Amino acid sequence: MTETTPPTFPRAGFRRRFGSWIYDSLIVIAIFMLSGYICVALFVALDAAELIAITRSGFGIDWNASHIAYKIAFNSWCVAWVCIFFVYFWAKKGQTLGMRAWRLRVQNTDGSLISKMSAIKRLVPTLLGLGSLIVLIDRKNKLSLQDRLTNTEVVVLSLEANRGRL
């Protein structure tokens, strides 16, 4: 291997992907909760300023009695922040925090970082990790549904390569 040739790493199997998914799901829950708290605070502040009218029960919002538009806005806000988390880390570093713990990196098949558009395209088939179930069937290529749709791959980094990404 010469200085100009980037190192090649093996593709990740299902177990590593699943381990990374577990780690990232904990982070996603925290992001969802934090963004939810911020959204509720915004709703309460807008209600106090009489710009919107939410139904309250004590300090909290009574979601069952509130207009459906507030539920849609709340969930859209929270999901948007989760999506921003994945797109940012995939496009900027090639790794989420869970992927880093399991020494995984998402990249283009040539070894370069994926673009923000590719990261956005990966989001839907990545939903709940279901796209990665294909790796169980396709053990030879180890490509998930989101890998196939975006012409990307998830590779296992060496200890040195993962450490060098700090």
Side-chain angles (χ1 to χ4, degrees):
M1 182 170 67
T2 64
E3 290 287 325
T4 59
T5 306
T8 57
F9 300 105
R11 289 186 178 151
F14 180 77
R15 287 186 199 141
R16 280 191 179 267
R17 290 174 189 247
F18 184 71
S20 169
W21 180 85
I22 295 292
Y23 278 47
D24 282 335
S25 66
L26 296 173
I27 296 168
V28 163
I29 290 169
I31 291 170
F32 201 89
M33 289 172 57
L34 181 60
S35 62
Y37 290 138
I38 292 169
C39 188
V40 167
L42 288 172
F43 281 162
V44 169
L46 291 172
D47 182 54
E50 297 181 359
L51 296 173
I52 64 171
I54 57 173
T55 306
R56 298 167 100 184
S57 59
F59 178 72
I61 297 173
D62 186 358
W63 291 106
N64 292 326
S66 295
H67 194 276
I68 191 164
Y70 298 136
K71 295 177 201 176
I72 293 170
F74 174 82
N75 287 312
S76 297
W77 169 270
C78 294
V79 168
W81 280 105
V82 169
C83 291
I84 289 168
F85 164 77
F86 282 108
V87 169
Y88 174 78
F89 279 100
W90 285 340
K92 187 77 171 174
K93 301 280 187 183
Q95 296 176 298
T96 59
L97 299 174
M99 292 174 79
R100 182 172 188 81
W102 285 85
R103 295 188 352 238
L104 300 178
R105 180 177 66 195
V106 63
Q107 62 184 18
N108 291 314
T109 53
D110 66 359
S112 62
L113 288 176
I114 66 173
S115 66
K116 287 180 184 166
M117 187 52 71
S118 291
I120 291 169
K121 289 178 185 176
R122 284 182 64 88
L123 283 174
V124 174
T126 302
L127 181 68
L128 301 175
L130 297 178
S132 294
L133 291 176
I134 293 177
V135 176
L136 288 171
I137 299 166
D138 184 15
R139 292 180 186 226
K140 181 181 177 188
N141 294 319
K142 296 183 181 176
L143 291 172
S144 65
L145 178 61
Q146 56 269 24
D147 293 334
R148 293 173 190 277
L149 293 175
T150 59
N151 198 29
T152 58
E153 62 185 358
V154 176
V155 296
V156 180
L157 298 175
S158 65
L159 285 171
E160 296 81 26
N162 198 44
R163 207 173 293 132
R165 298 186 63 78
L166 290 172

